[in-house]
Every structure is written in C-alpha cells, then in structure tokens.
Amino acid sequence: VTQLHFMYSKFADAFSQFQAFSEVTRKNVQEKDPLKADRIRLKQWRLKINFALLSTVAADRLNTGDNQRMENVKSKGVRTRNTMRINKEAQTSGLPKMRLRSEVDRQDSKSNVYAVFELPSAEQMQLMIASNDMVSTVMYWIIWDLADCMKDID
C-alpha cells in the first residue's frame, strides 16, 4: 500500500462518516426545521469542496516529491517540520493547478491539472500560499466545519 492509497482511504472514511450522519439528520429535520436542514446542506457542500481541495494539495505534495522525502526522513530518523515540507511549499512558489471538475478531461492521463468542485477563493489561495503547510491549512478548514456542524447533527 502506497502513501497515496493510505491517504485516500483515510479521507474517504472521514468524509463518508460525516456525509452519512449529516444526511440522516438533514432528512429527519427537513420539514420540521428547514433552517437547520439548510445549514447542514451548506456544511455538506463546504466539506465536499474542502475534501476535494485536501485531496488536491495532498496528492500534489506526494506527486512533487514529498513521498520520497518522507521515506528519507524515516530512514535517517530526522523529524523536523522543515524536512517534511517540500521545496515548492517552502519557497511558496504556488498552488497546484486546479480546474472545475466539469472542465477537466479525466481521460487525459498526461494532464497535470487537478479537478475540484469549486476553485478556492482569493482569500483561501492567499492563506494556502502564505502557509508553511497547505495540507494542514485545508485540514484545519475541514476540522472547523466539522466542529461547527456538530451542534446540528443528531
């Protein structure tokens, strides 16, 4: 099992669990409390967007060499945060190339573009570029939304 397989398995588990519990709650309250149902629907959409974004930045990190760097760190026993960052993030040279899912030819295996449900806002892009760790930044947004939604999920 590669780092990529492990990563996607964990992401899918987390998203699926949230989606299942939130959808059951949303359907149960749809008629009784439409405002609550709308809040849950919005969180479902935001989390779908952010999990796709998390997948993008994490896959890009692994694709651009972080996987090999992790193996080197593991074998040498060096565990500093700086050694775990890839050069692209350390130099803040930019974000992965992203396009809306509907605009991406998924049959084109040579494309270096990641498909997302919604492009990050200008503010999100600035935050990711300024961050020392884009993956952790997006993960924080996901955790924030999960925590914020807990008051509505039964």
Side-chain angles (χ1 to χ4, degrees):
V1 175
T2 67
Q3 295 290 336
L4 194 62
H5 289 105
F6 185 69
M7 174 188 75
Y8 279 116
S9 172
K10 295 296 183 184
F11 292 172
D13 288 349
F15 180 76
S16 297
Q17 288 179 29
F18 166 76
Q19 190 65 22
F21 284 105
S22 63
E23 188 63 13
V24 167
T25 301
R26 189 184 67 76
K27 285 185 176 186
N28 286 337
V29 301
Q30 197 160 7
E31 289 182 22
K32 294 180 278 184
D33 191 349
L35 291 175
K36 182 176 181 176
D38 286 344
R39 284 193 309 269
I40 293 171
R41 187 179 299 110
L42 176 63
K43 287 299 179 184
Q44 287 175 313
W45 177 245
R46 284 177 48 105
L47 281 159
K48 181 178 179 178
I49 291 167
N50 282 335
F51 267 104
L53 182 58
L54 178 64
S55 173
T56 295
V57 296
D60 187 62
R61 175 185 281 179
L62 290 174
N63 189 41
T64 54
D66 197 45
N67 195 26
Q68 183 61 45
R69 184 178 300 263
M70 287 171 25
E71 293 300 321
N72 291 341
V73 167
K74 184 177 171 184
S75 68
K76 294 178 183 175
V78 179
R79 300 191 191 282
T80 65
R81 187 161 207 47
N82 195 42
T83 60
M84 294 303 289
R85 284 188 304 182
I86 60 171
N87 290 337
K88 185 169 97 171
E89 284 182 350
Q91 297 169 0
T92 64
S93 64
L95 299 168
K97 294 177 185 173
M98 295 176 263
R99 281 201 203 127
L100 292 177
R101 188 172 188 217
S102 60
E103 299 172 358
V104 174
D105 178 7
R106 297 175 67 89
Q107 301 301 317
D108 182 6
S109 62
K110 295 180 182 179
S111 173
N112 63 347
V113 174
Y114 294 95
V116 293
F117 293 104
E118 188 175 285
L119 294 173
S121 69
E123 182 182 14
Q124 287 175 312
M125 287 186 196
Q126 288 175 334
L127 288 169
M128 287 189 292
I129 289 170
S131 169
N132 286 331
D133 187 344
M134 283 188 234
V135 174
S136 291
T137 299
V138 177
M139 182 61 78
Y140 176 80
W141 298 336
I142 289 171
I143 293 169
W144 179 276
D145 280 335
L146 287 170
D148 188 48
C149 195
M150 292 292 87
K151 65 182 176 289
D152 286 326
I153 296 178
D154 297 335

